[in-house]
Amino acid sequence: MARARSEERRGDIVRAAVEVIAERGYRGASLASVAERVGLTQQGLLHYFPTKDALLVAVLEERDRWDTGGGSRAAAGPWRLDLLASLVEYNAMRPGIVQTFSALLGESVTDGHPAREFFTERYAQVRSEMAAVLRAEYGERLPSGLTPDQVAPLLTAVMDGLQYQWLLAPESVDMPAAFRSFLALLGAPEPGRRPG
């Protein structure tokens, strides 16, 4: 029972952190502001998450659960290229979460960073999922002649690279439109349009 309460409390803290990040951005999301939102002291919050980075990794895990089936996509089934375009559009509506993801991703490449393992495992899984998406759309060869396994890291890099460019210059980079352009390069029909 105590374990269930502890897990429930951790979930409350993560949801509060998501809200605070959405409102104040990555840098403005202090442990104190999250603790206040859930009625804890900062010391009390540290019982559940010993560092800000540990809390932010939990936020990213929650984001991935939401994006991959625990929330808005629960009934959507496996990923498809048009759903990836929808995800890019959705991300454009939540800059705080995208900023947190991007900031932690950049920091995670250093040795010993608490988010390094999360991102290493995440990218292995994402590349595998992107290869499956491409295989479902094109079979074993894309129109370019490349295999889904060859293109999967490129697809992943475009999605995350566009996020950085959009965060730095949102007025200049239309992230959803740029991603649709990339899909056109792959030979995919625009979302909502069938090939003629």
Side-chain angles (χ1 to χ4, degrees), residues 5 23 29-30 95 98 102 109 120 122 156 171 185 189:
R5 274 199 303 268
E23 292 167 10
S30 67
V98 174
S102 299
V109 299
T120 300
R122 181 185 187 277
T156 305
E171 66 289 337
L185 281 176

Side-chain angles (χ1 to χ4, degrees), residues 17 68 74 80 106 123 151 156 189:
T68 60
R80 300 185 318 256
Y123 274 111
V151 176
T156 305

Side-chain angles (χ1 to χ4, degrees), residues 63-196:
R63 168 201 190 241
D64 278 356
R65 273 192 294 280
W66 180 262
D67 290 347
T68 60
S72 62
R73 286 193 4 87
W79 282 110
R80 300 185 318 256
L81 284 177
D82 61 327
L83 291 177
L84 292 179
S86 297
L87 176 61
V88 172
E89 290 174 10
Y90 179 53
N91 281 340
M93 296 184 292
R94 53 185 190 163
I97 296 297
V98 174
Q99 186 183 50
T100 299
F101 174 90
S102 299
L104 271 181
L105 173 59
E107 292 173 1
S108 74
V109 299
T110 59
D111 289 337
H113 191 278
R116 186 179 181 105
E117 183 180 350
F118 168 81
F119 281 111
T120 300
E121 291 174 4
R122 181 185 187 277
Y123 274 111
Q125 178 182 343
V126 168
R127 285 189 301 270
S128 174
E129 290 172 356
M130 294 303 105
V133 167
L134 293 164
R135 197 166 281 110
E137 182 80 21
Y138 299 107
E140 291 304 318
R141 294 278 169 190
L142 277 72
S144 64
L146 296 173
T147 67
D149 290 325
Q150 289 172 311
V151 176
L154 304 175
L155 176 55
T156 305
V158 166
M159 290 180 78
D160 288 352
L162 280 173
Q163 288 185 158
Y164 276 107
Q165 293 180 61
W166 171 71
L167 286 169
L168 291 168
E171 66 289 337
S172 302
V173 177
D174 182 337
M175 184 167 61
F179 186 69
R180 287 191 300 273
S181 295
F182 177 73
L183 292 182
L185 281 176
L186 292 182
E190 285 186 37
R193 288 184 58 191
R194 295 262 180 243

